[in-house]
Amino acid sequence: MSFKEYLLLDALFPGIKYEYQDGAVRLMSGGSREHARIAGNMYVELDLQFRSGPCTVYNSDMRVQVAENKFYFPDVTVTCNVEDRRRGIKTVLSPRLVVEVLSPTTEQVDRTEKIKAYQGCPTIVEIALVNQFTPRVEVWRRTEEDQYTWHYAHYESGTEVELTSVDVCLSMEEIYRGIDFDDPLPET
């Protein structure tokens, strides 16, 4: 599918989200209660940090361009570019931080295809993958010395997640507020 056809599809079905990568279109599905809660917590906590600027936080309703032919809908995106705050925009062009809450159906794509695309985007400095089944957050940070080198850090229960690209620390309790890991999941 051409990019023009993708935009037409987006215009014809505005309530449905499709990601676009090199001519392939992927329908985005809904997530679990835990996924929604964690993504919402991340959005709220980051948004509180930037109420007076200089960055803007978006939820998964905002499309993010990471390459010429790659458009995704991360669960949370932070941009510090004033152009990405213009009224009426539909696509973030200069993401700085992207957050993906891992789901069983999307984890493989998030860990391979998307992370590679995110690391190839020159404006993205940090990528966070948040586990929804156990308190664990993985963060990849681009080094200042070499734009092709990324450092990995992971955080578990009782720690604070450092998001150095936006100078924010979030506690695991803030990220996982409303999630009780002791409450067993129902059997399917």
Side-chain angles (χ1 to χ4, degrees):
M1 174 180 285
S2 72
F3 181 66
K4 189 174 181 179
E5 291 169 323
Y6 166 69
L7 291 178
L8 179 60
L9 179 69
D10 185 60
L12 290 173
F13 302 99
I16 301 173
K17 293 186 284 189
Y18 297 93
E19 291 186 330
Y20 182 82
Q21 180 169 331
D22 300 322
V25 176
R26 181 175 33 245
L27 173 65
M28 300 303 296
S29 63
S32 68
R33 172 204 172 278
E34 290 77 13
H35 184 284
R37 183 75 189 188
I38 294 164
N41 290 345
M42 291 289 292
Y43 171 82
V44 167
E45 295 301 328
L46 287 166
D47 192 52
L48 285 171
Q49 299 291 321
F50 299 113
R51 289 281 164 101
S52 60
C55 301
T56 304
V57 183
Y58 292 110
N59 66 17
S60 64
D61 288 336
M62 185 61 85
R63 178 182 18 248
V64 174
Q65 183 173 8
V66 297
E68 183 178 343
N69 288 315
K70 290 182 176 71
F71 296 82
Y72 298 126
F73 288 90
D75 292 306
V76 180
T77 303
V78 178
T79 177
C80 301
N81 186 322
V82 69
E83 294 296 314
D84 288 331
R85 291 195 299 248
R86 290 188 339 259
R87 185 179 169 134
I89 66 163
K90 294 185 177 194
T91 304
V92 172
L93 300 176
S94 299
R96 179 177 287 193
L97 164 68
V98 291
V99 177
E100 293 283 1
V101 178
L102 300 174
S103 296
T105 56
T106 63
E107 182 172 4
Q108 184 65 28
V109 171
D110 290 342
R111 288 188 177 281
T112 56
E113 172 188 311
K114 282 188 177 182
I115 205 160
K116 184 176 178 182
Y118 289 151
Q119 288 176 335
C121 178
T123 65
I124 293 177
V125 180
E126 215 160 24
I127 305 158
L129 299 182
V130 184
N131 192 308
Q132 67 172 300
F133 299 107
T134 188
R136 181 177 173 87
V137 177
E138 299 171 76
V139 177
W140 281 263
R141 289 184 190 95
R142 188 185 303 267
T143 63
E144 291 181 23
E145 302 80 33
D146 177 10
Q147 69 173 353
Y148 301 106
T149 302
W150 291 78
H151 290 288
Y152 171 83
H154 70 274
Y155 304 88
E156 298 190 10
S157 189
T159 62
E160 285 199 339
V161 176
E162 294 180 69
L163 300 171
T164 59
S165 65
V166 290
D167 196 26
V168 170
C169 286
L170 300 177
S171 73
M172 294 296 269
E173 290 77 21
E174 291 169 326
I175 294 169
Y176 289 101
R177 185 174 19 87
I179 307 295
D180 182 1
F181 290 107
D182 294 330
D183 187 16
L185 290 170
E187 292 186 29
T188 56

